[in-house]
Amino acid sequence: MDELLKQEPLAQAESQLGHDIALRAARRALEAARNVILSEAKNLARSGGRRQGSSPAARDDTEALAAQPAGNMLRGEAAQHDIGELAAEAARLAWQVVTPSLKPVVNATGVVIHTNLGRVPLGPAAIEAMQRIAGGYSSLEFELASGSRGDRQEHIQRTLQELLAVEAAVVVNNNASAVLLALTALARGKEVVVSRGQAVEIGGGFRIPDVMRRSGARLVEVGTTNRTYIADYEQALTERTAALMRVHSSNFRVIGFTHDVELAEMAELAHKRGLLLIDDLGSGSLVDTSRFGLMQEPMVQTSVAAGADVICFSGDKLLGGPQAGVVVGRKAAIDRLKRDPLMRAMRTDKVTMAALQATLLEYLKGRALETLPVWRMIGAPLDVLRSRAEAWAAHVTGAEVIDGRSAIGGGSLPEETLPTALLRLPKQGSAARQLASLRKADPPIIARIHEDAVVLDPRTVLPADEPALLAALGALS
Ligand SMILES: *Cc1c(COP(=O)(O)O)cnc(C)c1O
């Protein structure tokens, strides 16, 4: 260890990052080297054992080796020879510790709302708002006119009232918390009636029956998986019923012999019986997606018009903003959410508020389709995508441009795809290995495999990332 710490790259890391980081990195590098030596020794012993035809003896050898202090081995010829390499590896590990592991990547998968890659990029207005608010103090909970304490929800509420003509709004950390908060505040100890076809799992562990149980509300399923009628809801109502709830099935679809009850019909029944109608839209959209040749993703405006009392949707799916859960609707109901003790545990921070308000303002100004990356990507014309793919192809020998499909992702519009042009890389060894080497680029390039070849979809590659992408492609060939 002392020898190792004296080696140039590690000594330098130690002087800049401190003794503890360097020491832990050196231990990790030694441990890894030890494991390599041990497994090599085991392999040797095993093959030796086979040669002698006595496998028990081989196992004894391996155990003897494993029991030996590793330091003895590292003093061997090979280890002496490798101490420089070992120090370089330790230094690399030391620097890795102080480097953020959350880093930008280039999304060349063509999946627009890619949850594993952070869902959607924010637009310039949201980024600018986050920068403006993050580095200083703000009027988060302060009324500038009166100088008295304000409400952090007021900012977004005002914008959503303007945008959707709703009475009230509240924002929490994501739509999963929005649904949990709504059920807890409005239906704890009571019953909520849901169509059997909507008692779904969204992914990432979000299952309606589980969320319902955790909220303290009792799920009453009605109808069948494929067909539910208004009479099914009506028959399930008791004096314990608090609400009817619709859940957008998001990432799966029942097709063929199906029947769903219109939201307006559910609202009418709920209100006639003095109950609430809760609508979990999932993604929700403020834009009619049919204008892009896609199916229509349920729109927030439609739910408001249909009379839903509490409407929950995500901030970072088709809205194109930061991770958040937005709840809009009737003031009396939303006020109960705001007063619930869970509210304090779910409230968003100033940076999220800033990004969300800026995103919503883009809609209010009527320019969301031009400024939000999610809509720019979904609306990208095929000829533009093709010419970008062709420009990329010029940088890689043997690459071709082929027709393909991009997905929306994020549980929005399942099965729905958009025509795109893909850059197909020439096959060199395994496609998985090519993918892995693209992931080693800086920034890492995330592509996908289509019919045994690596393909890259320009739809989700931000223009600013193109030089890095072309450099990585150039290094491949
Ligand atoms: C995505 C989704 C959620 C969860 O939203 P997050 O913002 O990811 O927490 C809840 N309900 C439905 C119907 C969804 O599609």
Side-chain angles (χ1 to χ4, degrees):
M1 182 61 75
D2 286 343
E3 278 300 305
L4 198 54
L5 284 165
K6 275 185 217 141
Q7 300 291 310
E8 177 56 31
L10 193 53
Q12 200 185 330
E14 185 182 21
S15 77
Q16 290 185 42
L17 305 176
H19 179 66
D20 288 354
I21 288 179
L23 187 63
R24 280 197 298 272
R27 283 199 184 121
R28 267 178 220 134
L30 268 175
E31 180 73 25
R34 216 169 260 160
N35 288 337
V36 169
I37 292 166
L38 271 181
S39 74
E40 273 166 10
K42 274 183 199 171
N43 285 344
L44 254 172
R46 210 171 286 138
S47 58
R50 259 200 303 280
R51 270 200 301 278
Q52 292 156 23
S54 64
S55 58
R59 193 174 313 126
D60 287 346
D61 278 348
T62 314
E63 275 159 16
L65 269 168
Q68 219 173 346
N72 289 348
M73 271 184 264
L74 287 170
R75 264 183 240 121
E77 278 285 297
Q80 280 290 350
H81 183 70
D82 282 337
I83 192 153
E85 250 171 59
L86 203 53
E89 173 60 9
R92 192 187 67 79
L93 290 174
W95 286 107
Q96 186 181 301
V97 167
V98 295
T99 307
S101 59
L102 176 58
K103 52 181 157 195
V105 304
V106 176
N107 176 13
T109 65
V111 180
V112 177
I113 306 174
H114 198 307
T115 298
N116 297 155
L117 303 183
R119 293 229 168 127
V120 292
L122 296 176
I127 295 164
E128 196 267 326
M130 288 168 89
Q131 263 165 353
R132 188 152 32 87
I133 294 304
Y137 297 99
S138 61
S139 61
L140 184 66
E141 291 185 352
F142 189 78
E143 277 187 10
L144 290 168
S146 62
S148 58
R149 192 196 158 138
D151 173 4
R152 73 173 62 205
Q153 297 290 344
E154 250 325 289
H155 307 283
I156 303 275
Q157 177 164 270
R158 218 173 291 137
T159 308
L160 283 165
Q161 282 166 336
E162 197 71 40
L163 191 60
L164 295 166
V166 287
E167 288 179 8
V170 68
V171 175
V172 290
N173 282 319
N174 45 48
N175 190 38
S177 14
V179 174
L180 178 61
L181 175 65
L183 289 170
T184 307
L186 304 172
R188 191 182 159 86
K190 298 248 184 97
E191 292 175 355
V192 178
V193 186
V194 179
S195 164
R196 188 156 274 124
Q198 297 173 6
V200 294
E201 172 175 323
I202 303 304
F206 185 86
R207 306 172 115 190
I208 290 297
D210 296 343
V211 175
M212 195 74 79
R213 198 170 308 120
R214 179 52 63 98
S215 75
R218 201 172 85 79
L219 170 67
V220 177
E221 286 183 44
V222 296
T224 61
T225 306
N226 56 329
R227 292 176 84 91
T228 301
Y229 301 93
I230 193 72
D232 295 322
Y233 288 99
E234 196 152 18
Q235 280 157 22
L237 302 182
T238 71
E239 69 284 357
R240 292 178 304 277
T241 310
L244 271 58
M245 181 172 172
R246 179 181 78 161
V247 182
H248 179 40
S249 57
S250 294
N251 45 13
F252 95 110
R253 188 175 297 156
V254 182
I255 55 164
F257 189 59
T258 64
H259 186 267
D260 274 329
V261 180
E262 290 290 326
L263 199 63
E265 230 181 325
M266 291 177 72
E268 192 189 317
L269 173 63
H271 298 155
K272 195 169 72 188
R273 302 291 284 264
L275 305 170
L276 293 167
L277 174 59
I278 302 171
D279 190 16
D280 174 11
L281 277 180
S283 173
S285 179
L286 298 180
V287 170
D288 184 348
T289 48
S290 66
R291 65 185 292 153
F292 303 109
L294 296 164
M295 281 215 1
Q296 192 187 66
E297 179 72 12
M299 294 175 68
V300 183
Q301 295 93 326
T302 312
S303 293
V304 174
D309 301 285
V310 173
I311 302 160
C312 308
F313 56 98
S314 287
D316 55 349
K317 290 185 183 171
L318 284 173
L319 193 74
Q323 181 188 302
V326 184
V327 192
V328 297
R330 312 286 299 183
K331 182 172 188 306
I334 301 286
D335 278 349
R336 285 166 71 188
L337 270 62
K338 289 181 179 170
R339 285 196 304 267
D340 193 277
L342 265 188
M343 182 64 232
R344 178 61 175 77
M346 293 177 173
R347 72 179 190 189
T348 47
D349 73 308
K350 61 188 176 194
V351 181
T352 301
M353 290 289 194
L356 184 59
Q357 189 178 41
T359 303
L360 291 169
L361 288 174
E362 294 300 284
Y363 286 95
L364 198 53
K365 292 177 193 164
R367 54 185 211 195
L369 291 180
E370 289 81 50
T371 60
L372 299 186
V374 70
W375 295 121
R376 291 181 65 97
M377 288 174 182
I378 288 174
L382 183 56
D383 57 338
V384 171
L385 295 169
R386 192 180 306 283
S387 55
R388 287 177 71 195
E390 273 160 7
W392 298 357
H395 287 76
V396 195
T397 22
E400 277 180 281
V401 177
I402 59 165
D403 290 336
R405 312 290 299 182
S406 318
I408 307 300
S412 317
L413 300 161
E415 308 285 303
E416 293 286 293
T417 54
L418 292 162
T420 193
L422 300 170
L423 180 75
R424 182 172 62 193
L425 298 185
K427 292 185 190 177
Q428 288 165 351
S430 88
R433 200 160 308 143
Q434 272 179 308
L435 273 190
S437 73
L438 286 172
R439 287 199 306 272
K440 288 204 188 93
D442 181 24
I445 316 284
I446 315 299
R448 67 183 163 95
I449 296 175
H450 173 71
E451 288 170 357
D452 289 336
V454 172
V455 294
L456 296 97
D457 188 337
R459 185 184 300 278
T460 49
V461 175
L462 297 166
D465 285 334
E466 283 205 5
L469 180 112
L470 293 181
L473 290 179
L476 265 191
S477 48

